[in-house]
């Protein structure tokens, strides 16, 4: 199989490339910075800077998009976040439509932010979209990807939660303060955190590529979401450190503005469709997942 990946040098994309190569598949990464991508990716990964240089492929995985949590959301930053997702996806779908030999599947990124802040409500894929900025962004992002169905391409939209591994993402940022005994919940800690081990994220993407009956939205989250307080306790226990120093909500909002909603609100998301269609998670329990991740990293 030959797979084209956008965002292939990112946290999830790197692991996906390694997985594909390990099974004898070809990975082609579309990148604006080939020198940076080459430092991050195995030598066997082919790099292209323009879609028109891409060969015929069997599958496309669209992971491109600037990091929502990188800095404060000014209006200019919001526009950049939208363009990095919507324009890339739009261009990708246009390219698919112009291909003489269309890929058979597009697996396109989204996020659990689709659902907005929903308190304790349990959310499967048929739940409606929320109304805040992140929800609107996910809704528009998914709408652009869905247009590829007009070209006879099977489209899967992956609503990803907090992806955990030791060498990137949210967990890497948490490790130092927690190891120093400075970790603790955000605000009151009652907000839900829908998480997934990176290993399972990659396995789910691969499963969506290979499963001909899979199409539409899929929650990429472990079957047992936890509250922020429970996550904090589990990470502290895995590191054998106390985790009792909360980050007050008012301080987070003062420092981060609207972006603080990523930390102070959440979604209780379950992967209903993937499980109903037979996908099996390797890392369904948070404590076991953290111990496996941290043991491997050590």
């Amino acid at each position: 199989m030959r797979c084209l990946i956008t965002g292939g040098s990112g946290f999830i994309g790197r692991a996906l490339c390694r997985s594909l190569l390990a099974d004898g598949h070809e990975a082609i990464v579309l990148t604006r910075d080939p020198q940076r991508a080459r430092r991050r990716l195995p030598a066997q990964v082919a790099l292209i800077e323009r879609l028109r240089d891409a060969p015929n492929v069997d599958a496309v995985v669209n992971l491109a998009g600037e990091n929502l949590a990188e800095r404060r959301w000014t209006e200019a930053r919001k526009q950049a976040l939208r363009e990095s997702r919507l324009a890339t996806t739009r261009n990708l779908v246009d390219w698919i439509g112009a291909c003489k030999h269309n890929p058979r599947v597009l697996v396109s990124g989204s996020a659990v932010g689709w659902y907005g802040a929903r308190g304790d409500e349990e959310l499967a894929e048929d739940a409606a979209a929320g109304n805040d900025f992140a929800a609107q962004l996910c809704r528009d992002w998914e709408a652009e990807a869905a247009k590829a169905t007009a070209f006879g391409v099977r489209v899967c939209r992956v609503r990803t939660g907090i992806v955990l591994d030791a060498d990137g993402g949210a967990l890497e940022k948490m490790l130092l303060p927690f190891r120093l005994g400075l970790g603790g919940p955000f605000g009151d800690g009652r907000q839900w955190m829908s998480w997934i081990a990176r290993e399972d994220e990659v396995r789910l993407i691969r499963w969506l590529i290979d499963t001909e009956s899979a199409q539409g939205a899929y929650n990429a989250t472990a079957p047992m979401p936890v509250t922020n307080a429970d996550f904090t306790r589990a990470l502290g226990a895995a590191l054998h450190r106390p985790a009792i120093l909360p980050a007050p909500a008012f301080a987070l909002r003062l420092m981060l503005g609207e972006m603080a909603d990523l930390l102070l609100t959440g979604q209780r998301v379950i992967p209903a469709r993937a499980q109903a269609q037979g996908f099996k998670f390797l890392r369904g329990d948070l404590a076991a997942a953290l111990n496996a991740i941290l043991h491997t990293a050590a």
Side-chain angles (χ1 to χ4, degrees), residues 11-12 67 69 161-178 186 193-196 198 228 231 235 262-263 290:
F11 178 52
I12 298 170
N67 186 349
I162 300 167
V163 183
L164 303 180
D165 217 329
D167 64 341
L171 182 59
E172 182 187 46
K173 295 177 181 178
M174 297 179 193
L175 287 179
L176 179 58
F178 271 78
F186 296 128
M193 295 178 66
S194 296
W195 62 276
I196 186 170
R198 183 170 59 168
N228 176 252
F231 184 95
L235 182 54
L262 292 178
L263 305 178
L290 288 172

PDB file of all heavy atoms in Angstrom, residues 11-12 67 69 161-178 186 193-196 198 228 231 235 262-263 290:
ATOM      1  N   PHE A  11       3.519  14.664  15.829  1.00  0.00           N
ATOM      2  CA  PHE A  11       3.520  13.685  16.926  1.00  0.00           C
ATOM      3  C   PHE A  11       2.853  12.371  16.517  1.00  0.00           C
ATOM      4  O   PHE A  11       3.379  11.285  16.761  1.00  0.00           O
ATOM      5  CB  PHE A  11       2.819  14.326  18.125  1.00  0.00           C
ATOM      6  CG  PHE A  11       2.688  13.465  19.335  1.00  0.00           C
ATOM      7  CD1 PHE A  11       3.786  12.816  19.886  1.00  0.00           C
ATOM      8  CD2 PHE A  11       1.451  13.325  19.958  1.00  0.00           C
ATOM      9  CE1 PHE A  11       3.653  12.030  21.027  1.00  0.00           C
ATOM     10  CE2 PHE A  11       1.308  12.547  21.088  1.00  0.00           C
ATOM     11  CZ  PHE A  11       2.413  11.903  21.619  1.00  0.00           C
ATOM     12  N   ILE A  12       1.691  12.457  15.891  1.00  0.00           N
ATOM     13  CA  ILE A  12       1.000  11.250  15.434  1.00  0.00           C
ATOM     14  C   ILE A  12       1.580  10.770  14.111  1.00  0.00           C
ATOM     15  O   ILE A  12       1.781   9.567  13.909  1.00  0.00           O
ATOM     16  CB  ILE A  12      -0.510  11.518  15.303  1.00  0.00           C
ATOM     17  CG1 ILE A  12      -1.117  11.899  16.650  1.00  0.00           C
ATOM     18  CG2 ILE A  12      -1.230  10.295  14.724  1.00  0.00           C
ATOM     19  CD1 ILE A  12      -2.543  12.419  16.557  1.00  0.00           C
ATOM     20  N   ASN A  67      -0.882  23.584  16.098  1.00  0.00           N
ATOM     21  CA  ASN A  67      -1.237  23.155  17.451  1.00  0.00           C
ATOM     22  C   ASN A  67      -2.157  24.173  18.123  1.00  0.00           C
ATOM     23  O   ASN A  67      -1.791  25.333  18.311  1.00  0.00           O
ATOM     24  CB  ASN A  67       0.050  22.976  18.265  1.00  0.00           C
ATOM     25  CG  ASN A  67      -0.196  22.386  19.629  1.00  0.00           C
ATOM     26  OD1 ASN A  67      -1.327  22.272  20.084  1.00  0.00           O
ATOM     27  ND2 ASN A  67       0.869  21.982  20.294  1.00  0.00           N
ATOM     28  N   ALA A  69      -2.952  24.412  21.178  1.00  0.00           N
ATOM     29  CA  ALA A  69      -2.513  24.804  22.519  1.00  0.00           C
ATOM     30  C   ALA A  69      -1.156  25.498  22.521  1.00  0.00           C
ATOM     31  O   ALA A  69      -0.563  25.691  23.583  1.00  0.00           O
ATOM     32  CB  ALA A  69      -2.459  23.577  23.424  1.00  0.00           C
ATOM     33  N   GLY A 161      -8.901  12.525  20.838  1.00  0.00           N
ATOM     34  CA  GLY A 161      -8.798  13.109  22.163  1.00  0.00           C
ATOM     35  C   GLY A 161      -7.356  13.483  22.482  1.00  0.00           C
ATOM     36  O   GLY A 161      -6.560  13.788  21.597  1.00  0.00           O
ATOM     37  N   ILE A 162      -7.001  13.453  23.749  1.00  0.00           N
ATOM     38  CA  ILE A 162      -5.650  13.779  24.196  1.00  0.00           C
ATOM     39  C   ILE A 162      -4.767  12.562  23.951  1.00  0.00           C
ATOM     40  O   ILE A 162      -4.982  11.505  24.543  1.00  0.00           O
ATOM     41  CB  ILE A 162      -5.647  14.164  25.677  1.00  0.00           C
ATOM     42  CG1 ILE A 162      -6.541  15.384  25.910  1.00  0.00           C
ATOM     43  CG2 ILE A 162      -4.222  14.452  26.168  1.00  0.00           C
ATOM     44  CD1 ILE A 162      -6.840  15.645  27.370  1.00  0.00           C
ATOM     45  N   VAL A 163      -3.794  12.704  23.060  1.00  0.00           N
ATOM     46  CA  VAL A 163      -2.960  11.580  22.649  1.00  0.00           C
ATOM     47  C   VAL A 163      -1.752  11.492  23.577  1.00  0.00           C
ATOM     48  O   VAL A 163      -1.022  12.473  23.758  1.00  0.00           O
ATOM     49  CB  VAL A 163      -2.515  11.726  21.186  1.00  0.00           C
ATOM     50  CG1 VAL A 163      -1.706  10.503  20.753  1.00  0.00           C
ATOM     51  CG2 VAL A 163      -3.733  11.904  20.283  1.00  0.00           C
ATOM     52  N   LEU A 164      -1.544  10.314  24.144  1.00  0.00           N
ATOM     53  CA  LEU A 164      -0.514  10.135  25.166  1.00  0.00           C
ATOM     54  C   LEU A 164       0.663   9.314  24.669  1.00  0.00           C
ATOM     55  O   LEU A 164       0.502   8.202  24.164  1.00  0.00           O
ATOM     56  CB  LEU A 164      -1.102   9.441  26.402  1.00  0.00           C
ATOM     57  CG  LEU A 164      -2.286  10.115  27.082  1.00  0.00           C
ATOM     58  CD1 LEU A 164      -2.727   9.297  28.282  1.00  0.00           C
ATOM     59  CD2 LEU A 164      -1.947  11.548  27.497  1.00  0.00           C
ATOM     60  N   ASP A 165       1.835   9.865  24.792  1.00  0.00           N
ATOM     61  CA  ASP A 165       3.100   9.151  24.681  1.00  0.00           C
ATOM     62  C   ASP A 165       4.156  10.050  25.303  1.00  0.00           C
ATOM     63  O   ASP A 165       3.903  11.236  25.552  1.00  0.00           O
ATOM     64  CB  ASP A 165       3.445   8.784  23.237  1.00  0.00           C
ATOM     65  CG  ASP A 165       4.130   7.425  23.146  1.00  0.00           C
ATOM     66  OD1 ASP A 165       4.845   7.062  24.114  1.00  0.00           O
ATOM     67  OD2 ASP A 165       3.972   6.729  22.134  1.00  0.00           O
ATOM     68  N   ALA A 166       5.332   9.503  25.548  1.00  0.00           N
ATOM     69  CA  ALA A 166       6.313  10.229  26.359  1.00  0.00           C
ATOM     70  C   ALA A 166       7.135  11.235  25.564  1.00  0.00           C
ATOM     71  O   ALA A 166       7.775  12.099  26.156  1.00  0.00           O
ATOM     72  CB  ALA A 166       7.245   9.232  27.051  1.00  0.00           C
ATOM     73  N   ASP A 167       7.144  11.126  24.234  1.00  0.00           N
ATOM     74  CA  ASP A 167       8.053  11.962  23.452  1.00  0.00           C
ATOM     75  C   ASP A 167       7.345  13.060  22.677  1.00  0.00           C
ATOM     76  O   ASP A 167       7.794  13.492  21.621  1.00  0.00           O
ATOM     77  CB  ASP A 167       8.878  11.095  22.491  1.00  0.00           C
ATOM     78  CG  ASP A 167       8.024  10.396  21.447  1.00  0.00           C
ATOM     79  OD1 ASP A 167       6.799  10.271  21.656  1.00  0.00           O
ATOM     80  OD2 ASP A 167       8.574   9.981  20.405  1.00  0.00           O
ATOM     81  N   GLY A 168       6.239  13.549  23.207  1.00  0.00           N
ATOM     82  CA  GLY A 168       5.537  14.643  22.554  1.00  0.00           C
ATOM     83  C   GLY A 168       4.140  14.795  23.115  1.00  0.00           C
ATOM     84  O   GLY A 168       3.715  14.067  24.020  1.00  0.00           O
ATOM     85  N   GLY A 169       3.401  15.763  22.568  1.00  0.00           N
ATOM     86  CA  GLY A 169       2.025  15.960  22.976  1.00  0.00           C
ATOM     87  C   GLY A 169       1.888  16.465  24.397  1.00  0.00           C
ATOM     88  O   GLY A 169       2.841  16.942  25.020  1.00  0.00           O
ATOM     89  N   ALA A 170       0.678  16.329  24.926  1.00  0.00           N
ATOM     90  CA  ALA A 170       0.370  16.879  26.251  1.00  0.00           C
ATOM     91  C   ALA A 170       1.166  16.207  27.361  1.00  0.00           C
ATOM     92  O   ALA A 170       1.612  16.867  28.302  1.00  0.00           O
ATOM     93  CB  ALA A 170      -1.128  16.741  26.517  1.00  0.00           C
ATOM     94  N   LEU A 171       1.357  14.888  27.266  1.00  0.00           N
ATOM     95  CA  LEU A 171       2.023  14.169  28.352  1.00  0.00           C
ATOM     96  C   LEU A 171       3.465  14.628  28.522  1.00  0.00           C
ATOM     97  O   LEU A 171       3.935  14.808  29.652  1.00  0.00           O
ATOM     98  CB  LEU A 171       1.965  12.665  28.105  1.00  0.00           C
ATOM     99  CG  LEU A 171       2.585  11.791  29.195  1.00  0.00           C
ATOM    100  CD1 LEU A 171       1.900  12.025  30.541  1.00  0.00           C
ATOM    101  CD2 LEU A 171       2.504  10.318  28.811  1.00  0.00           C
ATOM    102  N   GLU A 172       4.172  14.820  27.433  1.00  0.00           N
ATOM    103  CA  GLU A 172       5.561  15.263  27.538  1.00  0.00           C
ATOM    104  C   GLU A 172       5.659  16.582  28.306  1.00  0.00           C
ATOM    105  O   GLU A 172       6.568  16.769  29.128  1.00  0.00           O
ATOM    106  CB  GLU A 172       6.171  15.427  26.147  1.00  0.00           C
ATOM    107  CG  GLU A 172       7.650  15.841  26.179  1.00  0.00           C
ATOM    108  CD  GLU A 172       8.198  16.157  24.808  1.00  0.00           C
ATOM    109  OE1 GLU A 172       7.520  16.882  24.043  1.00  0.00           O
ATOM    110  OE2 GLU A 172       9.296  15.686  24.489  1.00  0.00           O
ATOM    111  N   LYS A 173       4.697  17.499  28.070  1.00  0.00           N
ATOM    112  CA  LYS A 173       4.715  18.784  28.763  1.00  0.00           C
ATOM    113  C   LYS A 173       4.414  18.636  30.254  1.00  0.00           C
ATOM    114  O   LYS A 173       4.843  19.464  31.063  1.00  0.00           O
ATOM    115  CB  LYS A 173       3.713  19.734  28.117  1.00  0.00           C
ATOM    116  CG  LYS A 173       4.063  20.103  26.677  1.00  0.00           C
ATOM    117  CD  LYS A 173       2.995  20.982  26.058  1.00  0.00           C
ATOM    118  CE  LYS A 173       3.343  21.320  24.611  1.00  0.00           C
ATOM    119  NZ  LYS A 173       2.285  22.132  23.970  1.00  0.00           N
ATOM    120  N   MET A 174       3.674  17.610  30.604  1.00  0.00           N
ATOM    121  CA  MET A 174       3.308  17.404  32.013  1.00  0.00           C
ATOM    122  C   MET A 174       4.407  16.728  32.820  1.00  0.00           C
ATOM    123  O   MET A 174       4.460  16.873  34.048  1.00  0.00           O
ATOM    124  CB  MET A 174       2.044  16.531  32.105  1.00  0.00           C
ATOM    125  CG  MET A 174       0.807  17.119  31.504  1.00  0.00           C
ATOM    126  SD  MET A 174      -0.568  15.927  31.671  1.00  0.00           S
ATOM    127  CE  MET A 174      -1.774  16.645  30.568  1.00  0.00           C
ATOM    128  N   LEU A 175       5.282  15.978  32.168  1.00  0.00           N
ATOM    129  CA  LEU A 175       6.180  15.097  32.906  1.00  0.00           C
ATOM    130  C   LEU A 175       7.122  15.837  33.848  1.00  0.00           C
ATOM    131  O   LEU A 175       7.298  15.424  35.000  1.00  0.00           O
ATOM    132  CB  LEU A 175       6.986  14.232  31.918  1.00  0.00           C
ATOM    133  CG  LEU A 175       6.193  13.119  31.240  1.00  0.00           C
ATOM    134  CD1 LEU A 175       7.081  12.355  30.259  1.00  0.00           C
ATOM    135  CD2 LEU A 175       5.598  12.159  32.273  1.00  0.00           C
ATOM    136  N   LEU A 176       7.729  16.929  33.391  1.00  0.00           N
ATOM    137  CA  LEU A 176       8.697  17.613  34.252  1.00  0.00           C
ATOM    138  C   LEU A 176       8.057  18.159  35.519  1.00  0.00           C
ATOM    139  O   LEU A 176       8.541  17.862  36.630  1.00  0.00           O
ATOM    140  CB  LEU A 176       9.420  18.722  33.483  1.00  0.00           C
ATOM    141  CG  LEU A 176      10.449  19.516  34.302  1.00  0.00           C
ATOM    142  CD1 LEU A 176      11.516  18.587  34.869  1.00  0.00           C
ATOM    143  CD2 LEU A 176      11.078  20.619  33.451  1.00  0.00           C
ATOM    144  N   PRO A 177       6.970  18.959  35.431  1.00  0.00           N
ATOM    145  CA  PRO A 177       6.389  19.444  36.696  1.00  0.00           C
ATOM    146  C   PRO A 177       5.899  18.317  37.598  1.00  0.00           C
ATOM    147  O   PRO A 177       6.041  18.396  38.821  1.00  0.00           O
ATOM    148  CB  PRO A 177       5.237  20.347  36.235  1.00  0.00           C
ATOM    149  CG  PRO A 177       5.003  20.013  34.804  1.00  0.00           C
ATOM    150  CD  PRO A 177       6.303  19.556  34.261  1.00  0.00           C
ATOM    151  N   PHE A 178       5.356  17.258  37.032  1.00  0.00           N
ATOM    152  CA  PHE A 178       4.896  16.150  37.870  1.00  0.00           C
ATOM    153  C   PHE A 178       6.076  15.436  38.519  1.00  0.00           C
ATOM    154  O   PHE A 178       6.000  15.032  39.683  1.00  0.00           O
ATOM    155  CB  PHE A 178       4.049  15.179  37.051  1.00  0.00           C
ATOM    156  CG  PHE A 178       2.579  15.537  37.029  1.00  0.00           C
ATOM    157  CD1 PHE A 178       2.115  16.553  36.206  1.00  0.00           C
ATOM    158  CD2 PHE A 178       1.678  14.875  37.829  1.00  0.00           C
ATOM    159  CE1 PHE A 178       0.774  16.893  36.182  1.00  0.00           C
ATOM    160  CE2 PHE A 178       0.327  15.201  37.818  1.00  0.00           C
ATOM    161  CZ  PHE A 178      -0.125  16.227  36.993  1.00  0.00           C
ATOM    162  N   PHE A 186      -6.299  20.902  36.976  1.00  0.00           N
ATOM    163  CA  PHE A 186      -6.642  22.219  36.434  1.00  0.00           C
ATOM    164  C   PHE A 186      -8.000  22.622  37.002  1.00  0.00           C
ATOM    165  O   PHE A 186      -8.990  21.898  36.845  1.00  0.00           O
ATOM    166  CB  PHE A 186      -6.698  22.204  34.919  1.00  0.00           C
ATOM    167  CG  PHE A 186      -5.380  21.899  34.262  1.00  0.00           C
ATOM    168  CD1 PHE A 186      -5.283  20.896  33.313  1.00  0.00           C
ATOM    169  CD2 PHE A 186      -4.240  22.613  34.582  1.00  0.00           C
ATOM    170  CE1 PHE A 186      -4.079  20.613  32.689  1.00  0.00           C
ATOM    171  CE2 PHE A 186      -3.019  22.340  33.971  1.00  0.00           C
ATOM    172  CZ  PHE A 186      -2.944  21.333  33.029  1.00  0.00           C
ATOM    173  N   MET A 193     -11.537  14.228  30.634  1.00  0.00           N
ATOM    174  CA  MET A 193     -10.411  14.135  29.704  1.00  0.00           C
ATOM    175  C   MET A 193     -10.566  12.836  28.911  1.00  0.00           C
ATOM    176  O   MET A 193     -10.491  11.740  29.471  1.00  0.00           O
ATOM    177  CB  MET A 193      -9.074  14.145  30.440  1.00  0.00           C
ATOM    178  CG  MET A 193      -8.770  15.438  31.158  1.00  0.00           C
ATOM    179  SD  MET A 193      -7.188  15.367  32.061  1.00  0.00           S
ATOM    180  CE  MET A 193      -6.001  15.208  30.704  1.00  0.00           C
ATOM    181  N   SER A 194     -10.838  12.969  27.635  1.00  0.00           N
ATOM    182  CA  SER A 194     -10.932  11.805  26.757  1.00  0.00           C
ATOM    183  C   SER A 194      -9.569  11.610  26.116  1.00  0.00           C
ATOM    184  O   SER A 194      -9.107  12.451  25.351  1.00  0.00           O
ATOM    185  CB  SER A 194     -12.016  12.037  25.702  1.00  0.00           C
ATOM    186  OG  SER A 194     -13.276  12.141  26.324  1.00  0.00           O
ATOM    187  N   TRP A 195      -8.925  10.515  26.441  1.00  0.00           N
ATOM    188  CA  TRP A 195      -7.524  10.296  26.098  1.00  0.00           C
ATOM    189  C   TRP A 195      -7.393   9.051  25.221  1.00  0.00           C
ATOM    190  O   TRP A 195      -8.306   8.232  25.124  1.00  0.00           O
ATOM    191  CB  TRP A 195      -6.700  10.106  27.378  1.00  0.00           C
ATOM    192  CG  TRP A 195      -7.149   8.896  28.156  1.00  0.00           C
ATOM    193  CD1 TRP A 195      -8.182   8.831  29.047  1.00  0.00           C
ATOM    194  CD2 TRP A 195      -6.617   7.573  28.057  1.00  0.00           C
ATOM    195  NE1 TRP A 195      -8.319   7.540  29.525  1.00  0.00           N
ATOM    196  CE2 TRP A 195      -7.377   6.741  28.933  1.00  0.00           C
ATOM    197  CE3 TRP A 195      -5.567   6.996  27.330  1.00  0.00           C
ATOM    198  CZ2 TRP A 195      -7.122   5.387  29.093  1.00  0.00           C
ATOM    199  CZ3 TRP A 195      -5.315   5.645  27.484  1.00  0.00           C
ATOM    200  CH2 TRP A 195      -6.072   4.856  28.356  1.00  0.00           C
ATOM    201  N   ILE A 196      -6.234   8.916  24.583  1.00  0.00           N
ATOM    202  CA  ILE A 196      -5.919   7.715  23.821  1.00  0.00           C
ATOM    203  C   ILE A 196      -4.403   7.557  23.780  1.00  0.00           C
ATOM    204  O   ILE A 196      -3.676   8.550  23.636  1.00  0.00           O
ATOM    205  CB  ILE A 196      -6.504   7.767  22.389  1.00  0.00           C
ATOM    206  CG1 ILE A 196      -6.284   6.438  21.647  1.00  0.00           C
ATOM    207  CG2 ILE A 196      -5.960   8.943  21.604  1.00  0.00           C
ATOM    208  CD1 ILE A 196      -7.053   6.337  20.331  1.00  0.00           C
ATOM    209  N   ARG A 198      -0.993   6.834  22.027  1.00  0.00           N
ATOM    210  CA  ARG A 198      -0.610   7.050  20.623  1.00  0.00           C
ATOM    211  C   ARG A 198      -0.570   5.736  19.848  1.00  0.00           C
ATOM    212  O   ARG A 198      -0.926   5.698  18.665  1.00  0.00           O
ATOM    213  CB  ARG A 198       0.740   7.774  20.530  1.00  0.00           C
ATOM    214  CG  ARG A 198       1.137   8.081  19.100  1.00  0.00           C
ATOM    215  CD  ARG A 198       2.332   9.004  18.998  1.00  0.00           C
ATOM    216  NE  ARG A 198       3.518   8.459  19.641  1.00  0.00           N
ATOM    217  CZ  ARG A 198       4.736   8.984  19.486  1.00  0.00           C
ATOM    218  NH1 ARG A 198       4.923  10.060  18.724  1.00  0.00           N
ATOM    219  NH2 ARG A 198       5.778   8.453  20.121  1.00  0.00           N
ATOM    220  N   ASN A 228     -10.217  15.133  35.016  1.00  0.00           N
ATOM    221  CA  ASN A 228      -8.877  15.698  35.149  1.00  0.00           C
ATOM    222  C   ASN A 228      -8.254  15.345  36.501  1.00  0.00           C
ATOM    223  O   ASN A 228      -7.048  15.057  36.588  1.00  0.00           O
ATOM    224  CB  ASN A 228      -8.944  17.212  34.973  1.00  0.00           C
ATOM    225  CG  ASN A 228      -7.619  17.898  35.195  1.00  0.00           C
ATOM    226  OD1 ASN A 228      -7.431  18.576  36.205  1.00  0.00           O
ATOM    227  ND2 ASN A 228      -6.687  17.719  34.280  1.00  0.00           N
ATOM    228  N   PHE A 231      -7.069  11.786  36.240  1.00  0.00           N
ATOM    229  CA  PHE A 231      -5.870  11.740  35.409  1.00  0.00           C
ATOM    230  C   PHE A 231      -4.649  12.183  36.213  1.00  0.00           C
ATOM    231  O   PHE A 231      -3.585  11.566  36.163  1.00  0.00           O
ATOM    232  CB  PHE A 231      -6.036  12.630  34.175  1.00  0.00           C
ATOM    233  CG  PHE A 231      -4.876  12.568  33.215  1.00  0.00           C
ATOM    234  CD1 PHE A 231      -4.906  11.707  32.139  1.00  0.00           C
ATOM    235  CD2 PHE A 231      -3.752  13.366  33.395  1.00  0.00           C
ATOM    236  CE1 PHE A 231      -3.833  11.633  31.248  1.00  0.00           C
ATOM    237  CE2 PHE A 231      -2.682  13.301  32.528  1.00  0.00           C
ATOM    238  CZ  PHE A 231      -2.713  12.428  31.454  1.00  0.00           C
ATOM    239  N   LEU A 235      -1.331   9.901  36.946  1.00  0.00           N
ATOM    240  CA  LEU A 235       0.013  10.280  36.496  1.00  0.00           C
ATOM    241  C   LEU A 235       0.954  10.411  37.693  1.00  0.00           C
ATOM    242  O   LEU A 235       2.106   9.961  37.643  1.00  0.00           O
ATOM    243  CB  LEU A 235      -0.041  11.582  35.706  1.00  0.00           C
ATOM    244  CG  LEU A 235       1.297  12.081  35.137  1.00  0.00           C
ATOM    245  CD1 LEU A 235       1.992  11.015  34.299  1.00  0.00           C
ATOM    246  CD2 LEU A 235       1.085  13.361  34.317  1.00  0.00           C
ATOM    247  N   LEU A 262      -9.547  24.837  26.800  1.00  0.00           N
ATOM    248  CA  LEU A 262      -8.996  23.517  26.475  1.00  0.00           C
ATOM    249  C   LEU A 262      -8.638  22.739  27.735  1.00  0.00           C
ATOM    250  O   LEU A 262      -8.671  21.509  27.753  1.00  0.00           O
ATOM    251  CB  LEU A 262      -7.754  23.661  25.598  1.00  0.00           C
ATOM    252  CG  LEU A 262      -7.946  24.181  24.176  1.00  0.00           C
ATOM    253  CD1 LEU A 262      -6.598  24.309  23.487  1.00  0.00           C
ATOM    254  CD2 LEU A 262      -8.884  23.288  23.381  1.00  0.00           C
ATOM    255  N   LEU A 263      -8.279  23.461  28.792  1.00  0.00           N
ATOM    256  CA  LEU A 263      -7.862  22.835  30.044  1.00  0.00           C
ATOM    257  C   LEU A 263      -8.983  22.729  31.062  1.00  0.00           C
ATOM    258  O   LEU A 263      -8.996  21.804  31.875  1.00  0.00           O
ATOM    259  CB  LEU A 263      -6.702  23.628  30.660  1.00  0.00           C
ATOM    260  CG  LEU A 263      -5.469  23.845  29.779  1.00  0.00           C
ATOM    261  CD1 LEU A 263      -4.447  24.691  30.518  1.00  0.00           C
ATOM    262  CD2 LEU A 263      -4.868  22.525  29.358  1.00  0.00           C
ATOM    263  N   LEU A 290      -0.389   4.526  31.207  1.00  0.00           N
ATOM    264  CA  LEU A 290       0.691   5.401  31.669  1.00  0.00           C
ATOM    265  C   LEU A 290       1.910   4.591  32.110  1.00  0.00           C
ATOM    266  O   LEU A 290       3.045   4.945  31.797  1.00  0.00           O
ATOM    267  CB  LEU A 290       0.202   6.281  32.817  1.00  0.00           C
ATOM    268  CG  LEU A 290      -0.762   7.408  32.446  1.00  0.00           C
ATOM    269  CD1 LEU A 290      -1.307   8.073  33.685  1.00  0.00           C
ATOM    270  CD2 LEU A 290      -0.085   8.439  31.530  1.00  0.00           C
TER     271      LEU A 290
END
